Amino acid sequence: LERAGTNKLHRSPYTKEERLKLAQEFLASHPFMRVRDYIALTGLSRTTASTELREFSQQPDSGIGWTGSGSSKLYIAKRINE
């Protein structure tokens, strides 16, 4: 038996700090960001992308917040002092 395919890890060419900056720049020109937008920006897997966006939204100084719930969660720009 042979395996059907290869296991592909999704590694981003950007550091975590660079990915945060990319997300902030995206939100500066768009009203919201979905996980799939962040995946397209960074090249991360869906799981890693959603985990990282959640982490960013919990950091008070990241400038990223969220609205909605579950699969309809949207990430939005927030003022730093919120």
Side-chain angles (χ1 to χ4, degrees):
L1 291 175
E2 292 183 29
R3 294 198 180 263
T6 60
N7 184 9
K8 294 182 182 180
L9 293 176
H10 297 274
R11 293 206 173 120
S12 177
Y14 305 105
T15 65
K16 193 168 188 174
E17 293 79 20
E18 291 171 329
R19 293 191 298 265
L20 173 59
K21 184 79 172 155
L22 284 171
Q24 291 168 334
E25 290 171 356
F26 183 92
L27 288 170
S29 61
H30 296 81
F32 59 86
M33 177 170 44
R34 293 184 177 98
V35 173
R36 73 178 129 183
D37 298 322
Y38 191 65
I39 292 168
L41 282 174
T42 62
L44 294 173
S45 69
R46 181 171 181 80
T47 303
T48 305
S50 63
T51 300
E52 200 163 271
L53 280 172
R54 191 176 324 111
E55 288 173 5
F56 290 156
S57 70
Q58 292 172 350
Q59 295 173 1
D61 61 343
S62 70
I64 297 175
W66 60 272
T67 185
S69 63
S71 62
S72 62
K73 188 175 281 188
L74 300 174
Y75 294 89
I76 57 174
K78 69 175 180 179
R79 284 182 254 127
I80 301 293
N81 60 1
E82 283 186 358

